[in-house]
Amino acid sequence: MKLPDAIIVATARAHGRALATRSTGDFRADEAGVSVPYGL
């Protein structure tokens, strides 16, 4: 994971929030705290 992506996830976790993203190349859908609301 690249540093900017790690900062985004860490910020969401620090504030007790889930990260909603369509960027499954940068964030794994099965990762804790990551939500991928779109799926085909």
Side-chain angles (χ1 to χ4, degrees), residues 9-22:
V9 170
T11 302
R13 289 181 182 168
H15 291 280
R17 306 289 182 178
L19 174 66
T21 183
R22 294 184 342 178

Side-chain angles (χ1 to χ4, degrees), residues 3-31:
L3 180 60
D5 297 333
I7 291 171
I8 293 168
V9 170
T11 302
R13 289 181 182 168
H15 291 280
R17 306 289 182 178
L19 174 66
T21 183
R22 294 184 342 178
S23 182
T24 56
D26 296 324
F27 303 102
R28 293 189 336 249
D30 62 345
E31 189 173 345

